[in-house]
Every structure is written in structure tokens, then in C-alpha cells.
Amino acid sequence: MNTFRFGTSKEEVLQAIPERKIKKLAAGERRLAILRLGEQFHVFDAHCPHRGADLSHANINGAGEIICPLHQYRFDLKTGDVRAGYCTSLPLFRNELTESGLCIYLP
Ligand code: FES
């Protein structure tokens, strides 16, 4: 498992990622999307598992689902499971906000 660190402090991370906005970033070859809800972060693959749409342009609904902007498939924010549509689950990545930045644990 690799650890990718975003930012150098908790404050920097909170300022860099506005509430309920999705930020896209590169972690080596991988493109990640990070959503902030309060001081909780959800990190997922930036490419939709259906046809690869850019999920940094996704919407989040009140049921805790990521809605792909291309065909509106919906994915559970906590598990990555498909809630509407026919494709594989969305890869999610465990993360932890620390005093030295957001640690993202990649397989
Ligand atoms: S590309 Fe995301 S639902 Fe089709």
C-alpha cells in the first residue's frame, strides 16, 4: 500500500478543498477526485467505471450518492457500490486528515 499526502497541514487541506466541491488531483499515474464534507473527505477514482467520464464534474445528492455527469449513473459515496446503472463499483480510497495533510492510502 502506498500513502499519498495532499497538502502539508490540516489548514492547508481545508482551504484548498472547499466544502461540497470535488477537487481532481494526480497521484502518480492515478487520477483522484476528492470531495470534502465538513472535515470528512471522500476520495475516489476520478474516472467513472462506466465509460470513463470525469467525476470531478459529478454532483452529490442528498442520499449520499455521486452522480456521474455523463449518463447519471449513481454510486454510493461510502462504498462505491452502483446504485443506478450497470457497471463495476467505483474505487474508493481510505484517507485520514492529519496535522501534516490529507493522507490517502492507495493499493
Ligand atoms: S460514463 Fe459515467 S455513467 Fe456513463
Side-chain angles (χ1 to χ4, degrees), residues 80-101:
D81 291 345
V82 182
R83 287 282 180 82
Y86 301 95
C87 64
T88 58
S89 298
L90 176 65
L92 306 182
F93 304 100
R94 198 166 61 80
N95 65 87
E96 180 182 9
L97 183 61
T98 71
E99 293 303 327
S100 53

Side-chain angles (χ1 to χ4, degrees), residues 20 22 55-61 65-69 72-73:
R20 298 193 68 85
I22 301 174
L55 291 178
S56 67
H57 300 295
N59 287 310
I60 307 300
N61 68 15
E65 297 170 334
I66 301 161
I67 306 171
C68 179
Q72 286 73 50
Y73 283 16

Side-chain angles (χ1 to χ4, degrees), residues 48-53 55 68-73 75 87:
C48 179
H50 179 226
R51 295 273 170 85
L55 291 178
C68 179
L70 193 55
H71 305 108
Q72 286 73 50
Y73 283 16
F75 302 91
C87 64

Side-chain angles (χ1 to χ4, degrees), residues 23-44:
K23 182 174 182 66
K24 188 173 171 182
L25 63 88
E29 302 283 305
R30 209 182 280 267
R31 297 294 174 268
L32 303 175
I34 303 177
L35 167 70
R36 176 183 162 204
L37 297 175
E39 289 198 5
Q40 276 206 322
F41 291 84
H42 298 272
V43 182
F44 46 95

